[in-house]
Each structure stands twice: as structure tokens, then as C-alpha cells.
Amino acid sequence: MLPASYNDLLNIFQTEYYIVLAQEMRNNAPRIIPFDDRPNLPAAWRQWSADSRGRWDGNTLIVETTNFNDKIHFNGSTEARHVVERATRVDNETIRYESTVDDHAVWDRS
């Protein structure tokens, strides 16, 4: 979700059971995020796009992602990282996006 230097528009689609996030100039497949209370994949299943699950808290979409593989890194993190993203609709033209990356194998909160 970090923006590219150009052509970083994000399309958001919602169906009854999924949210789809598709970036304009991304070579990756769109992120398809279920939000129907299904369980996460087994911890041994590591995927390129990891394993995301979404839920609504009022007008905030919360997406938790685990099961990263060891091929994609973020600031020295490992495949053990846990990402929580929050997207809140502020008004008709604004979405506030926040993310938290935890990886106890790399960072320690003191």
C-alpha cells in the first residue's frame, strides 16, 4: 500500500464477501480480501500476497495480514510480520489510511 512515484491510483471494489484492492501500475495481482469470518490459512501456507482477512468496525475497514513468504521484505522484517491496515472514509473524497507492522523477530517495543 505504499505509494509508487507515479500512477499509484488505487481501485477499491466490494462484493458481498470480498474487498478487492487493485493498484493501477502494479505488476501484482489485485489483493482479494475476504471479510466473511473464514479462518486464516494454516501458518505453514506462505503466499506472495500473504493471507489477509478483513472486517468492518463502523466506517473503518480493518485488514489483518499474516503468512508472508520469505521473498518480500519490509524494512528488514521477516515472514513472521503481522500487518494491520485501517481505511476510514472521512468524507466523500477522503479515505484515511493507517498501517501497523509488527514483527517480534526484528523489532521490540520498549
Side-chain angles (χ1 to χ4, degrees):
M1 291 294 297
L2 296 175
S5 58
Y6 65 96
N7 291 338
D8 61 347
L9 298 176
L10 180 67
N11 290 301
I12 303 171
F13 306 95
Q14 180 178 343
T15 69
E16 186 175 355
Y17 300 110
Y18 298 95
I19 294 279
V20 179
L21 304 176
Q23 287 184 292
E24 180 182 21
M25 286 287 289
R26 204 77 196 255
N27 292 332
N28 300 354
R31 285 178 68 193
I32 301 173
I33 303 164
F35 62 103
D36 59 359
D37 294 329
R38 71 181 64 193
N40 283 87
L41 296 175
W45 293 14
R46 303 293 175 163
Q47 304 182 100
W48 279 101
S49 58
D51 183 35
S52 297
R53 295 293 183 265
R55 69 182 184 281
W56 289 102
D57 182 10
N59 65 341
T60 299
L61 173 65
I62 300 172
V63 177
E64 294 195 47
T65 306
T66 58
N67 295 33
F68 290 90
N69 67 25
D70 62 357
K71 310 235 183 316
I72 297 176
H73 303 278
F74 173 77
N75 290 350
S77 65
T78 69
E79 64 271 12
R81 71 188 167 277
H82 175 224
V83 178
V84 178
E85 299 166 280
R86 289 177 175 79
T88 304
R89 186 172 182 175
V90 176
D91 57 42
N92 285 339
E93 309 225 353
T94 309
I95 295 175
R96 181 179 57 238
Y97 174 80
E98 304 169 274
S99 65
T100 303
V101 181
D102 289 315
D103 187 339
H104 298 294
V106 178
W107 302 301
D108 187 14
R109 182 178 291 177
S110 47

